[in-house]
Amino acid sequence: MTKVGRPKSANPRSLTIPEVRVTREEYRMFKLKAAQYASDSTAKLIRNAIKAYKTVIEEACQCGTMMKESKGTEQYKFQLDEIEHYITITNIPVYQCPECDLEERNLFLFATLEEIIEEEVDWRVKNRLPLPTEIDFNDLVQAKELTYNT
Ligand SMILES: [Zn+2]
């Protein structure tokens, strides 16, 4: 007898987004928008909303000039079986002052990136997959599957 159900996915939805407390009005808005835009699927609405979300952050430098979004790079170091391994993340959004060249980094973003890279390394080691040496921030934020040929 064959097994009934969905075929096993190569990239299963194995994680859960935390529960969020909302007001009755926010709950109604959530249900209505899911019905209107996402075939009544609240999961689909959340996925689509995350993909579509973007905003402009207005940040002033110490000198008073408005900062402009720029791209930064960060290198993470890992020690695996006494071998040092480096992963460089490129195209990380940072803010730069056009007047005095001061660069400001979003600490929440960099802390979350570090968490994500650690999880990726753990997952790759567990699944005996090669470690990447460079990851584009845009691939992470656009939920692209990180595939590497070595
Ligand atoms: Zn400045």
Side-chain angles (χ1 to χ4, degrees):
M1 201 165 131
T2 53
K3 220 175 170 185
V4 183
R6 291 182 185 183
K8 196 175 175 189
S9 170
N11 191 9
R13 291 181 171 138
S14 58
L15 303 175
T16 305
I17 291 174
E19 281 185 44
V20 178
R21 294 189 63 81
V22 293
T23 63
R24 288 174 61 229
E25 292 78 11
E26 288 169 331
Y27 185 78
R28 287 177 188 155
M29 177 174 65
F30 178 55
K31 294 290 286 178
L32 286 168
K33 288 195 173 183
Q36 187 177 1
Y37 299 118
S39 332
D40 211 26
S41 165
T42 51
K44 185 177 174 186
L45 174 67
I46 290 169
R47 286 191 201 101
N48 290 347
I50 292 168
K51 277 183 203 146
Y53 186 78
K54 187 161 172 59
T55 190
V56 175
I57 298 168
E58 302 267 317
E59 190 83 39
C61 179
Q62 295 164 354
C63 74
T65 309
M66 289 312 287
M67 296 188 112
K68 296 222 182 305
E69 198 177 296
S70 180
K71 301 295 178 192
T73 295
E74 184 75 2
Q75 194 174 55
Y76 296 90
K77 185 177 145 185
F78 295 90
Q79 189 91 27
L80 295 171
D81 296 328
E82 291 173 27
I83 298 165
E84 286 182 351
H85 190 86
Y86 294 91
I87 299 177
T88 303
I89 311 297
T90 58
N91 292 317
I92 308 167
V94 295
Y95 289 87
Q96 197 142 26
C97 177
E99 274 301 306
C100 62
D101 230 29
L102 184 82
E103 186 187 277
E104 196 165 276
R105 295 177 160 210
N106 180 330
L107 296 181
F108 295 118
L109 180 62
F110 277 77
T112 301
L113 261 180
E114 190 174 341
E115 209 177 281
I116 286 168
I117 299 309
E118 282 174 12
E119 191 275 334
E120 180 73 14
V121 168
D122 288 347
W123 183 82
R124 285 180 173 273
V125 167
K126 202 176 89 187
N127 289 285
R128 299 172 180 273
L129 291 167
L131 294 180
T133 53
E134 192 175 304
I135 297 173
D136 189 324
F137 177 86
N138 295 311
D139 289 345
L140 292 172
V141 84
Q142 287 162 13
K144 284 191 184 157
E145 219 180 315
L146 303 176
T147 50
Y148 299 93
N149 301 318
T150 49

